Amino acid sequence: MALLIDTDVHEPLRTVRDLLPYLDPHWQVHVTEERGDNVLSKIQLPYSPPGSGERREWRATDDDREKDLERLRSNLLEGEGVTAAILNGFFHVSALPVDYEFATALAAAYNDWQIHVWLEREPRLRGSVHVIAHNPEVAAREIDRVAEHPQIVQVFLPLVNDRQYGDPHYHPIFEAAVRNDLVVTFHHGSHTRTVLGYPRHFIEWHTVAAPQAAQNQLLSLICNGVFDRYPDLKVVFLETGVAWVPWFMWRLDQQYREMRREVPWVSRLPSEIMRDSVRVATQPMGDVKPQHFEKLVEMTDTERVYVFATDYPHYDADTSGAGPLVSLAEQLSQRIRYQNAVESFPRLRDLSE
Amino acid sequence: MKHELFPIRELAPGGMRSVDVDGVAIVVIRTLDDTLHALRDACSHQGARLSRGRLKPVVVGPDVGRYRLLKNKLVLCCPWHEFEFELETGRCVADPKHHRVRAYQVEVEDDTVVLYR
C-alpha cells in the first residue's frame, strides 16, 4: 500500500469532563465543582464557520464517543487511504491568558487521554505533546514525560499573537523537543487574531489569521536564532496554505542582506534555514493549479518543504483523491505524500515504502 | 596586467578612492592599519557606487542578543541597501553564494598604488 502521512488530524474531545480520570483530585474538584469544565469557552471562536466547522459526511451522528475512533478509521484511514495520521487535537489550553496551573494540569491530562483513548488503540496514529508554553521549564518536563510513548512524534504549540516563540524564554521547549527526537508543530486556533484582531466576518479571519500568525512566529524563530542554536530542530506549520512561502522567503532574504548586522547570530540566509528546518503542510491547497504549484516549488527550491495534511475532519479538509495534489509530477507527489515527513520527523523514520 | 593608479600620499588611512581602470570603476580602500584593498566599484545588487558607501567594522553575534564588533575586520557597506562586502574577498557577508564584487590585487610600489587585473 502506498504511504500517505497526514500531518494534521484533529481528534475530538467532547467535554473537559472526559479528562477527569487523568486529573489529580484537586483539579477534578475544580472541573466538577468550580465550573472548570467551561475552560474552553474562554478561548472560543467568535464566528460561525460553514457546517459548524466539520465536513458533513464526517460528522458524528450520535453521542457515542466510543465511535469517534471507529469513525476516524473509516473516514480517514480507510476512506482517504491515510497510512499514518498525526493528531493535533482542538485543545489549545496553551492559549489561555490566565490560570496557568490549571492549564498545565489539563494539558497533561489531555496528553494521557490522547495516548489512552487514541494512540494505544490504533497503531496508525501518532500524537502530540500539548504544553503550556507560558512556563517553558514545566513544559520541558512534560515533553520529557510524554515523549516516552513511542507514538508521540511532536510538540504542539498554538499560533498565538501575544508571545514571540523566538524569545530565548522559550528555549527549554525547543531543547526538550530536540533531545526527545520530536518536531515542534504550530497550528492556529480560535484564539488566533489577525493584525486587525477579530475581523468583522469569518471569511476575513479564515483567509489570513493562520498564515499571518505563522509568518510572525516563523520570523521570530529565525531572527532570534532558534535554528542557529538548535540546528537539529524541525518545525512544522499547519493549515497555513502554501502560497505565502515564496514571498516570505524572498522578502526575508532581502531584508537579511540589508540588515544582517541587526541579527548577527543568524548565520545564513533565512531561505536556506527554511529549506533545512521548516516544513509547511499543504492544506489548504485551495484552487492553485498543479502546474502553478510545481512552478512555485521550482522557483523557491522547496521540494523538501511541503508535507501532506487533510485537516480532518474540518469542512475545508483536503481530500487525498481530489484537488491539485492528485495531478502533481510523481517525484514531487511522493515527497509531499510521505518522503518529506519521514525525513523530517525523527520518529517517523521507521515508515518507508 | 599592471596599472599604476596614483601616489599613495593622495589616499589617507581610513579613506577610499574610486578610479577608472580601462573603463572599469574600482574602489581602492586604505584602512587605518595601512592595508590596501581594491573592489569593483559597483554593488552586485543594483550597481550602486560602493565608493559612496561607508566602511564599518564587522558585527558578529555569538548568541542571540549579544553583539560584538570586530574592529580590525572592516566591511564596505553599499550606500543604497547596506549590503556588506568583505574587503579581502568582495563577498557579501549575508549572502556570499549569490552576491560578491570582484576583488583585485593592489600594492604600493615606489610610493605608487598599483593594481593588477
Side-chain angles (χ1 to χ4, degrees):
Chain A
M1 186 181 189
L3 278 178
L4 181 60
I5 297 175
D6 187 346
T7 57
D8 189 19
V9 173
H10 299 282
E11 75 283 14
L13 174 75
R14 292 183 174 235
T15 160
V16 170
R17 286 177 179 254
D18 287 353
L19 302 181
L20 284 173
Y22 309 96
L23 285 167
D24 76 32
H26 170 75
W27 295 116
Q28 284 178 354
V29 171
H30 193 71
V31 167
T32 56
E33 306 299 327
E34 315 294 347
R35 303 201 63 199
D37 54 348
N38 276 349
V39 63
L40 294 184
S41 67
K42 294 167 186 165
I43 49 174
Q44 224 163 30
L45 189 67
Y47 301 104
S48 304
S52 301
E54 292 188 358
R55 185 172 286 188
R56 287 184 188 278
E57 63 209 60
W58 288 340
R59 201 177 297 165
T61 52
D62 52 55
D63 291 332
D64 187 356
R65 67 200 58 194
E66 291 302 313
K67 290 183 181 167
D68 286 339
L69 175 59
E70 204 178 293
R71 198 165 20 255
L72 185 143
R73 280 185 183 127
S74 143
N75 291 334
L76 185 74
L77 304 180
E78 274 89 55
E80 292 291 317
V82 167
T83 50
I86 302 173
L87 302 179
N88 292 292
F90 291 115
F91 194 64
H92 303 170
V93 282
S94 192
L96 274 176
V98 293
D99 273 347
Y100 296 126
E101 294 82 4
F102 182 39
T104 299
L106 286 172
Y110 188 92
N111 292 331
D112 291 339
W113 171 85
Q114 175 199 210
I115 289 170
H116 184 237
V117 171
W118 297 88
L119 301 186
E120 294 193 336
R121 291 164 65 197
E122 176 48 68
R124 289 171 288 183
L125 297 181
R126 300 293 185 276
S128 304
V129 189
H130 294 264
V131 297
I132 303 308
H134 169 74
N135 190 335
E137 296 293 346
V138 173
R141 285 202 292 276
E142 179 67 1
I143 292 167
D144 289 338
R145 182 184 79 85
V146 179
E148 286 184 14
H149 195 281
Q151 282 167 271
I152 294 293
V153 298
Q154 65 183 19
V155 175
F156 181 97
L157 290 177
L159 279 173
V160 290
N161 306 72
D162 55 354
R163 350 186 131 103
Q164 301 174 31
Y165 288 125
D167 190 311
H169 177 69
Y170 299 104
H171 282 173
I173 293 176
F174 299 109
E175 204 166 299
V178 170
R179 81 169 159 261
N180 286 289
D181 285 336
L182 305 176
V183 308
V184 177
T185 293
F186 297 88
H187 194 299
H188 72 291
S190 51
H191 45 79
T192 306
R193 266 75 158 178
T194 74
V195 295
L196 298 180
Y198 284 122
R200 294 183 65 213
H201 303 99
F202 179 71
I203 185 174
E204 302 171 63
W205 180 84
H206 202 232
T207 301
V208 296
Q212 272 182 2
Q215 288 174 64
N216 283 335
Q217 294 295 359
L218 179 54
L219 261 177
S220 178
L221 295 175
I222 292 173
C223 292
N224 290 283
V226 171
F227 299 109
D228 293 274
R229 189 180 179 91
Y230 305 108
D232 293 331
L233 175 68
K234 295 276 192 296
V235 302
V236 185
F237 287 89
L238 299 175
E239 208 175 338
T240 61
V242 296
W244 59 271
V245 173
W247 176 84
F248 184 89
M249 277 184 162
W250 293 333
R251 175 67 174 159
L252 186 53
D253 276 0
Q254 176 222 346
Q255 294 291 284
Y256 179 71
R257 289 185 197 103
E258 297 179 8
M259 291 177 240
R260 185 209 64 85
R261 296 172 73 86
E262 191 185 7
V263 288
W265 43 83
V266 180
S267 60
R268 57 199 177 124
L269 280 181
S271 62
E272 292 177 16
I273 293 174
M274 285 177 67
R275 287 184 197 100
D276 285 345
S277 304
V278 179
R279 300 293 173 258
V280 177
T282 48
Q283 190 272 342
M285 278 293 277
D287 296 329
V288 62
K289 291 184 167 58
Q291 64 269 32
H292 291 164
F293 179 65
E294 287 170 358
K295 182 63 81 178
L296 177 155
V297 169
E298 184 194 332
M299 285 191 301
T300 46
D301 190 17
T302 49
E303 196 179 57
R304 291 168 194 270
V305 165
Y306 300 100
V307 292
F308 176 74
T310 59
D311 188 30
Y312 175 89
H314 288 152
Y315 86 95
D316 58 342
D318 279 356
T319 301
S320 61
L325 287 174
V326 176
S327 312
L328 291 181
E330 184 58 21
Q331 186 178 323
L332 179 59
S333 173
Q334 284 192 10
R335 287 228 141 264
I336 290 171
R337 290 169 62 87
Y338 69 92
Q339 275 180 355
N340 287 344
V342 167
E343 290 171 9
S344 305
F345 286 71
R347 292 190 174 194
L348 291 183
R349 289 201 183 129
D350 58 325
L351 298 176
S352 58
E353 290 271 63
Chain B
M1 182 185 248
K2 180 176 173 178
H3 299 268
E4 294 187 356
L5 301 182
F6 51 82
I8 184 66
R9 68 173 183 280
E10 292 181 8
L11 181 61
M16 286 186 277
R17 176 167 168 178
S18 185
V19 294
D20 184 304
V21 178
D22 293 342
V24 176
I26 293 173
V27 56
V28 179
I29 301 143
R30 185 178 182 186
T31 57
L32 288 172
D33 66 359
D34 217 14
T35 307
L36 284 178
H37 302 277
L39 300 174
R40 178 80 200 276
D41 193 10
C43 182
S44 61
H45 180 216
Q46 294 183 353
R49 298 294 285 265
L50 291 176
S51 54
R52 293 174 188 162
R54 286 176 298 168
L55 291 169
K56 294 182 187 175
V58 169
V59 182
V60 295
D63 201 358
V64 62
R66 289 181 59 203
Y67 296 90
R68 213 170 84 217
L69 276 185
L70 302 183
K71 289 184 181 165
N72 295 324
K73 186 169 171 57
L74 298 178
V75 286
L76 179 52
C77 295
C78 176
W80 285 3
H81 297 95
E82 296 286 331
F83 282 32
E84 305 166 292
F85 294 95
E86 291 178 347
L87 302 187
E88 298 80 6
T89 64
R91 282 195 298 245
C92 174
V93 180
D95 189 1
K97 283 185 199 159
H98 304 104
H99 284 277
R100 69 182 299 171
V101 292
R102 187 166 168 192
Y104 301 93
Q105 184 186 346
V106 64
E107 313 276 353
V108 178
E109 296 178 9
D110 297 329
D111 294 329
T112 299
V113 177
V114 174
L115 182 134
Y116 293 87
R117 70 180 285 267

